[in-house]
Structure formats: C-alpha cells, structure tokens
Amino acid sequence: MKNILITGGAGFIGSHVALELLESGYNVVVYDNLVNSSKESLKRVEELTDKSIKFYEGDCLDEDYLLEVLKNEEIEAVIHCAALKAVGESVKKPLMYYHNNITGTLSLLSAMDKANVKNIIFSSSATVYGKPKSVPITEDFPKGECTNPYGWTKSMMEQIMTDLYTSDNSWKVVLLRYFNPIGAHKSGRIGEDPKGIPNNLLPYVTQVAIGKLPYLHVYGNDYDTKDGTGVRDYIHVVDLAKGHVKAIDNLSKLNGVEVINLATGKGYSVLDIINTFEKVNGIKINYKIEARRDGDIAQSYADATKAKELIGWVAQNGLEKMLEDSWRWQKNNPNGYEQ
C-alpha cells in the first residue's frame, strides 16, 4: 500500500502525519480546504523530507471532487483528519459543526465507496469516553455522554463507520482515539498554528511565554487530583503521527473495526505543564486560577497497551521533550505560518 490520502492534511496533526508517511516511503496526497490550516505547512514538510506532496484544495462536502481525487491518484487508504475542532465554538455553533464534520464524513465515505477505496484511518478523540468511570481508560470502556457538539460529532462519525463495516465487511476501519496532542517537529518548522485565541492548553501557554497573551487561565484548582488542577494524557504530536504510520503498515493484519488509544498512559496536571515548561525553557508563565468550566472532567488518561500489542506502537517522547519542542516552534514562528 503506497498512495495515501490525508484529509485535513495541512493542519497540525495532518502535516506531521504527512511528514512521517513520507519518511516511511509512502506517497502522500493532501486534500484540505485551508479554513483552519496553511499550505505553508506542506511546503515545509516537503523541505524537511526532500519529497513532494500532491495537494488538492477542496472541501469534504464536495463528494464529486473527492471521488475525482480518489480515482485520479489511485488512493489505497484514507487518513481522515479533516474536521472543525474548537470545543467552545462547537457549543456556540452546533449546526455548523454537525454539518461540516458529519456531512463531510458522509461525503467522503460515499466517494470512497464509489471509488472502491475501503481502508480508512479516522482521527477520533478521547472525548468520546465522556466522563470515564475510572482511569486508565481502555478501548473497551463504554462511550459516554459527550460534553459538547464537537465530541458528539466524533462519537457519531465512529458509529457511522462501524455501521458501514457491519453492512459491508470489505471495509477496514481504524478508529484512533487521540488523547492530548502537543509538541511540534524537532526542527521547529511545523507545529500548531491556531487561528485567534487558542482553544488548547499548550498553544495558550506558548503564546503567554512569547508575550502575545498576558496570562494563562487555569480553570479550577479544586478537582480531586494531586494539586487540584485537571489531569490529562499529553502525547507528542510526532509520536501520534507515527501511530498513523503503524496503523497503515499493519492494515492488512487488522480485521473489521479496530479502536486504538493513542496516548502515553501518564497523566499530567495543568500545574505540571506550567512548572515543567518553566523548568525546561527557563521562562515564567503568568497564570490565574479561575472557576471550573462546564463540562471539564477531573482526569483523563489512557491505557495504551492495545496500540503496542496490535500495531507495535509505543509513545517515545516524555513531557519535557514535548514542551521543549512546543516552545521551539512558537519562538521560531511567533506568528505561526504567517511571517
């Protein structure tokens, strides 16, 4: 299997996946509408790998164009990263999120079906577990009540792909449930470039560090955790990207629908992130403790044993490396890809 299509391939996750696929000898085709991403990321991936990416600017809602790309490029598998992903925005604009994420996925799957491309790796999320009954979270935990429309779209897309396999067993579906991707490529050339005020913790921290934002909001210090702040399983984006390569490498051995956690299996609190960032980068992070946010849970971290056993993947990078790489990217690219 050589020709891989990445939807949303110019984004934070997608660009790192593209780089790792190229480094592993795959041919990469990217399909992206550039709403929350930049073509510059792909240019830099090409420079870093000395390999080329075929790029199509298009929307997943455009089934005809997707079908054309799948056929013209003789695609063998699709990595589906394209989605709107801001939790807060999804609460304010649920119809936009359901339409874009779910209808876009239906269009993609329909085009794949017509093109007889029946291998899909899906960018899912730990949000589908809702508030877990315990930690660490294994793949056989029941899916829970999602706390926002973004999470529900991921849960529903998983269900759609599962039902599709049930109706046609020639499909291979891998649902990769990401925990909290942070970090950047070690070169400092590609990384997370959020539009406007960041929704995720790490770009917020790095923008405080570089002086673009005055302080970090820490929502809640009264959770039942070691220091009262929320605990999450942070994973280096390069490790995450390599998980996709391993999924593609092992696709022929996988059967039906496989759910795989991509995580380190370790939980770190918000204060752990702040303190470690300050230690490894020598920069003070101003922050303010504020009230809890609705929908936030005390802790979420995974058991990643299945990824090791099934596809031979284990996260390699620790928290210090994640935070060093995050800062290198921000420092080298204070305005992201818009220099």
Side-chain angles (χ1 to χ4, degrees):
M1 188 167 296
K2 277 291 177 187
N3 297 344
I4 312 297
L5 176 70
I6 310 175
T7 68
F12 174 45
I13 307 292
S15 59
H16 286 83
V17 172
L19 187 149
E20 295 301 329
L21 283 170
L22 289 170
E23 295 278 36
S24 299
Y26 290 96
N27 302 320
V28 173
V29 179
V30 165
Y31 186 92
D32 198 306
N33 64 8
L34 302 178
V35 167
N36 286 317
S37 56
S38 170
K39 206 171 166 187
E40 175 66 21
S41 68
L42 300 179
K43 182 181 159 202
R44 295 186 185 188
V45 169
E46 290 180 324
E47 290 168 0
L48 288 165
T49 59
D50 200 25
K51 295 180 180 177
S52 62
I53 295 171
K54 197 79 174 278
F55 176 73
Y56 290 87
E57 185 172 350
D59 198 295
C60 283
L61 295 165
D62 189 343
E63 184 181 327
D64 292 339
Y65 194 29
L66 278 165
L67 180 57
E68 186 183 319
V69 172
L70 288 162
K71 286 182 170 176
N72 288 350
E73 298 297 334
E74 298 180 348
I75 298 299
E76 295 162 272
V78 175
I79 296 176
H80 183 32
C81 295
L84 294 173
K85 62 169 192 173
V87 169
E89 184 181 57
S90 79
V91 174
K92 293 183 181 126
K93 299 178 180 177
L95 291 181
M96 182 172 86
Y97 270 68
Y98 285 120
H99 178 62
N100 183 83
N101 292 5
I102 294 177
T103 311
T105 299
L106 290 171
S107 295
L108 172 65
L109 293 170
S110 179
M112 289 175 67
D113 198 40
K114 289 172 183 172
N116 199 33
V117 179
K118 295 187 175 180
N119 299 305
I120 187 163
I121 314 288
F122 176 54
S123 298
S124 192
S125 165
T127 56
V128 303
Y129 292 114
K131 185 177 181 180
K133 64 182 187 295
S134 61
V135 284
I137 299 165
T138 60
E139 289 85 353
D140 58 4
F141 273 36
K143 284 161 68 169
E145 286 288 317
C146 296
T147 56
N148 54 73
Y150 161 73
W152 279 119
T153 67
K154 291 292 185 184
S155 183
M156 290 174 188
M157 289 188 279
E158 283 195 0
Q159 190 61 50
I160 288 164
M161 290 177 212
T162 303
D163 291 342
L164 181 58
Y165 168 74
T166 301
S167 74
D168 177 0
N169 294 163
S170 64
W171 281 82
K172 282 184 186 281
V173 177
V174 182
L175 308 175
L176 297 180
R177 290 180 179 163
Y178 306 168
F179 276 67
N180 294 68
I182 61 172
H185 190 262
K186 63 185 179 184
S187 65
R189 296 284 289 150
I190 60 171
E192 189 166 8
D193 182 21
K195 307 294 183 199
I197 303 293
N199 290 285
N200 296 331
L201 176 62
L202 244 292
Y204 212 113
V205 169
T206 60
Q207 289 193 16
V208 170
I210 209 163
K212 290 182 80 171
L213 295 170
Y215 59 88
L216 174 70
H217 304 267
V218 176
Y219 295 106
N221 66 343
D222 57 350
Y223 287 105
D224 185 16
T225 59
K226 64 177 184 178
D227 59 25
T229 63
V231 168
R232 298 292 181 269
D233 192 327
Y234 296 94
I235 174 174
H236 199 297
V237 66
V238 171
D239 282 330
L240 188 82
K242 287 178 177 176
H244 294 72
V245 177
K246 286 287 192 183
I248 292 284
D249 287 345
N250 290 278
L251 211 45
S252 62
K253 294 189 270 182
L254 303 181
N255 295 310
V257 180
E258 290 288 2
V259 178
I260 303 174
N261 289 336
L262 290 185
T264 64
K266 298 184 182 75
Y268 295 101
S269 72
V270 177
L271 291 183
D272 283 334
I273 295 292
I274 294 169
N275 294 335
T276 307
F277 186 93
E278 290 180 341
K279 183 180 93 175
V280 299
N281 296 312
I283 293 169
K284 181 78 178 149
I285 299 297
N286 296 318
Y287 66 90
K288 289 187 181 178
I289 303 291
E290 299 182 16
R292 294 185 187 189
R293 287 183 302 194
D294 288 343
D296 277 353
I297 59 177
Q299 55 182 340
S300 171
Y301 60 91
D303 182 322
T305 304
K306 184 176 178 181
K308 181 179 180 181
E309 293 176 348
L310 196 64
I311 60 173
W313 174 88
V314 178
Q316 299 295 322
N317 294 291
L319 186 62
E320 292 192 357
K321 180 78 165 74
M322 299 182 213
L323 298 177
E324 285 172 3
D325 289 344
S326 292
W327 175 234
R328 183 182 301 108
W329 153 255
Q330 183 73 75
K331 188 171 52 175
N332 292 351
N333 305 271
N335 299 310
Y337 291 112
E338 294 174 17
Q339 297 303 321

